[in-house]
Amino acid sequence: MMKKGTLALLLILAVLLLGTIPAFAETGQSGQNRLPYDISDTAGLMTSEQWQKLETAAEQISERYQCGVYIVTLDDYKSYGSYSSIRSFSEDFYTHYQMGMGERRNGILLVLSMADRDYSLIAYGSDAHYAFTDYGKQVLADSFLDNFGRNDWYGGFSDYVEGCSELLARAASGQPLDVSYESRDGITEEVGTAVVIGVPLLVGVGACEGMRRRMKPVARQSRADEYIVPGGIHLDIKKDVFLTRTVSRTPIRTENRDSHYGGGGTTVNSGGFSGQSGKF
Amino acid sequence: MPSQVTNYQCPSCMGPLRYDGASGKLQCDYCGSSFTTAEIEKIYQEKLEQAEQAAVDAAAAEAEQTGEHDGEEWDNSSTVWDAERDGMKIYNCPSCGAQMICDQTTAATSCPYCGNPSVVPGQFHGMLKPDYILPFKLSKEEAVESLRKYYRGKSLLPKKFSASNHLEEIKGVYVPFWLFDGKVSADISYKATRVLSARQGNEMVTTTEYYDVRRAGTVRFTRIPADGSRKMPDDLMDSIEPFDYSELKPFSTVYMPGFLADIYDVDDRESFERAQTRSANTTLSVFDSSVSGYSTLTPTRRDVKVQREKTAYALLPVWMLSTKWNGKNLIFAMNGQTGKFIGDLPVSMGRYFAYLAGIAVPLAAVLAILLKMM
């Protein structure tokens, strides 16, 4: 349940949003607190053409997969309340504006707060959790964070929308992007298939060749170990001369970023959200 | 030129004697008597001396008769087969008188008409006389049983092959072997490295030390065998090694009745090449293994000299068994002393692929499940 203070702050936020972007003045069909657009660029990072293009794409994807694809940009999320993190702000935002599609309110939301260059990527609803696994969200974040790092906002949002489309399409085909299909150690699905076919084949051929060799044991002897006279080995010269020494230093790589994704799947918190946040 | 064939006959009943490996005696299958090799050697030495005296007397009588002849002789040169020119030899079986035609290396055989074991002692005169003989210890029955055992556990053997026993021929052969003693001198230089890695803070520090290594010395070998028979496949003879030389006996033909024997037709010089290669390989390996504690070892110079010392000529016991499969002759050999059995077997490709599928398919299923769980 949302606290009264938080609700009040959100109401203020809503008023602010309505004041800054005319679109927010409209209300959704199902209630007072629904946003009329999937892309809300309060921070003004895109031109109207860019916004229109992405809004159309996001709407189409949301409709096709019945899972909302949202972007919200803000100057500073802290100005909307005493949120401990952009993540908690995003979850409140999603809940307050009744975002998501269908009964389960499936959706994914990317929030950018420009003051401290914070971002949050959260998903809600069982279908969204299925499509956007922890690993999938990390791959998705990787696709746009490099653009945001260069202040390429439209490029980053485009990558986000396209990435959402790809992940939803994979989920629709029954193979959501997860470590099972593309492991953290860089094992692609193709490599996995090669391992499943190649390793058993190699083991099988190795075992069968071993059996075949047992069928053909006749061979010329190449050594005469058994005929050495007892005590007949005399090493008269046994010299080991040190020549030189070289030293090389190699930096040790830090631990693999993907190692966070132990068992794959999606981690959902008590509020029903999954996601990640950080800086860009 | 050897032309005399000897049957070792039982002093009791005149039946043919054969050497029995299990008892180490000469056995008569007719009256059941058995004799030590020393007893028979003594009897036959006396017989030989008598025969030589008789031959001298006969030659003198013939010379007298020739003088009385008027020179009439049949010219049958166009019709008589010159066996010796074709590399064969003709002997008369002392038991039944039949003519036996053998190749030039045959030293012991059996008469194809009466079956009696015969030895051609003349084959072993002079340089051709072996120094040693290693008597058979294992019988024909044990060789056949070994073949049966050899089929067991061979998963790829065609079912039809193992089900039907199509043993075509089995024979015990004393195979001529050269036994070489020698010394290999080697002087080998290597480049070696020792690599040590240790973590220091956020760096991996790798230290590589470079060394010049040298090993020189000698390795002595004794009685490296190499068969001296072209008839015997070298790989098959190599594969039944080793023989236990502690049971070698000074050569005597008394161990031969009941077995076949050949004299060598590959001389010691030619056979030595095999022993030379083997001893050099072993020496290199011995020297390589004396260098330890390095991460890499690369030989840069190898001087190896093989010095031949003593050479002995010995007849070693081998059971040869042959079968036919799909028109091909399959030959097996068993060490007649130790029982070591060897031979290449046919492979059923149907079974091969069945085993391949039996291993690969379940493993692929397990791997797929494991990868899914990761």
Side-chain angles (χ1 to χ4, degrees), chain A residues 209 215-216 219-225 227 229 232 234 236-237 239-241 243-246 248 250 252, chain B residues 202 204 206 208-210 212 214-218 220 222 238 241 278 281-282 285 294 344-346 352:
Chain A
E209 280 303 307
M215 305 289 284
K216 311 275 179 196
R220 283 183 80 144
Q221 298 276 0
S222 59
R223 296 173 61 147
D225 299 17
Y227 304 100
V229 175
H234 297 283
D236 305 323
I237 298 172
K239 268 209 280 195
D240 295 54
V241 180
L243 298 175
T244 185
R245 177 185 290 120
T246 61
S248 68
T250 317
I252 297 167
Chain B
N202 286 330
M204 187 59 77
T206 306
T208 308
E209 294 174 344
Y210 296 85
D212 262 348
R214 190 177 162 208
R215 295 287 183 272
T218 56
R220 282 193 172 278
T222 183
D238 281 0
E241 289 177 22
R278 289 177 64 176
N281 287 344
T282 290
S285 167
Y294 294 104
D344 287 345
L345 290 166
Y352 183 94

Side-chain angles (χ1 to χ4, degrees), chain B residues 3-317:
Chain B
S3 57
Q4 291 296 308
V5 174
T6 302
N7 283 152
Y8 283 99
Q9 289 171 325
C10 174
S12 308
C13 70
M14 301 307 282
L17 292 172
R18 63 171 179 82
Y19 180 77
D20 177 52
S23 63
K25 289 181 173 180
L26 286 138
Q27 211 90 38
C28 174
D29 293 331
Y30 290 86
C31 68
S33 307
S34 64
F35 305 89
T36 64
T37 52
E39 287 170 338
I40 295 299
E41 271 176 338
K42 192 181 170 201
I43 293 167
Y44 273 80
Q45 187 56 40
E46 286 167 6
K47 276 192 177 183
L48 185 67
E49 282 162 12
Q50 287 169 7
E52 277 170 0
Q53 187 54 50
V56 171
D57 296 346
E62 193 180 343
E64 273 178 35
Q65 261 193 339
T66 309
E68 291 167 7
H69 259 285
D70 59 4
E72 274 184 33
E73 273 189 16
W74 284 0
D75 179 11
N76 56 2
S77 58
S78 59
T79 54
V80 174
W81 173 46
D82 188 351
E84 295 210 4
R85 200 180 57 197
D86 288 353
M88 307 299 281
K89 285 185 177 174
I90 300 171
Y91 304 107
N92 287 94
C93 173
S95 291
C96 67
Q99 279 198 331
M100 297 187 292
I101 301 169
C102 308
D103 68 31
Q104 293 207 351
T105 59
T106 300
T109 185
S110 60
C111 173
Y113 300 99
C114 67
N116 283 343
S118 308
V119 178
V120 191
Q123 286 282 51
F124 300 119
H125 282 163
M127 292 291 287
L128 298 172
K129 187 186 174 189
D131 301 301
Y132 303 104
I133 185 165
L134 192 58
F136 271 89
K137 275 181 93 173
L138 299 167
S139 67
K140 183 191 267 191
E141 290 71 29
E142 285 167 307
V144 174
E145 183 54 30
S146 292
L147 178 67
R148 264 192 222 112
K149 281 185 190 163
Y150 190 64
Y151 292 163
R152 283 182 212 152
K154 302 288 192 302
S155 317
L156 300 181
L157 196 65
K159 209 173 179 181
K160 278 185 190 170
F161 183 86
S162 48
S164 56
N165 185 6
H166 20 213
L167 193 57
E168 297 246 321
E169 192 182 16
I170 174 162
K171 53 191 180 186
V173 187
Y174 279 107
V175 179
F177 272 83
W178 297 107
L179 308 178
F180 297 102
D181 286 4
K183 184 174 84 177
V184 181
S185 309
D187 189 344
I188 308 171
S189 297
Y190 307 88
K191 289 269 180 226
T193 63
R194 188 177 288 150
V195 182
L196 301 162
S197 289
R199 186 179 177 146
Q200 282 181 12
N202 286 330
E203 286 182 328
M204 187 59 77
V205 180
T206 306
T207 308
T208 308
E209 294 174 344
Y210 296 85
Y211 291 84
D212 262 348
V213 178
R214 190 177 162 208
R215 295 287 183 272
T218 56
V219 180
R220 282 193 172 278
F221 293 88
T222 183
R223 288 176 173 170
I224 302 172
D227 74 274
S229 170
R230 290 196 198 284
K231 272 187 264 180
M232 296 294 169
D234 292 346
D235 52 3
L236 202 61
M237 293 300 102
D238 281 0
S239 301
I240 57 169
E241 289 177 22
F243 290 89
D244 178 3
Y245 295 137
S246 67
E247 294 178 340
L248 279 173
K249 310 272 184 210
F251 177 74
S252 168
T253 54
V254 290
Y255 299 102
M256 290 185 166
F259 301 102
L260 306 179
D262 288 334
I263 56 165
Y264 71 83
D265 55 356
V266 180
D267 66 18
D268 54 339
R269 193 174 300 179
E270 194 179 334
S271 296
F272 181 63
E273 285 171 23
R274 285 165 62 195
Q276 195 173 14
T277 308
R278 289 177 64 176
S279 55
N281 287 344
T282 290
T283 303
L284 290 174
S285 167
V286 165
F287 279 38
D288 287 355
S289 61
S290 74
V291 187
S292 59
Y294 294 104
S295 309
T296 64
L297 186 70
T298 313
T300 53
R301 184 180 60 90
R302 281 172 161 172
D303 289 335
V304 181
K305 206 180 283 174
V306 183
Q307 229 177 303
R308 180 173 152 183
E309 291 176 338
K310 216 168 71 185
T311 304
Y313 173 31
L315 296 184
L316 304 183

Side-chain angles (χ1 to χ4, degrees), chain A residues 59-94:
Chain A
E59 272 178 19
Q60 285 173 353
I61 295 162
S62 301
E63 277 301 316
R64 189 183 309 148
Y65 297 107
Q66 285 300 295
C67 180
V69 174
Y70 308 108
I71 298 172
V72 170
T73 69
L74 305 160
D75 288 331
D76 187 0
Y77 75 92
K78 288 171 188 161
S79 63
Y80 299 110
S82 56
Y83 291 101
S84 59
S85 67
I86 191 170
R87 171 81 185 263
S88 59
F89 167 79
S90 304
E91 290 178 10
D92 266 0
F93 192 91
Y94 193 97

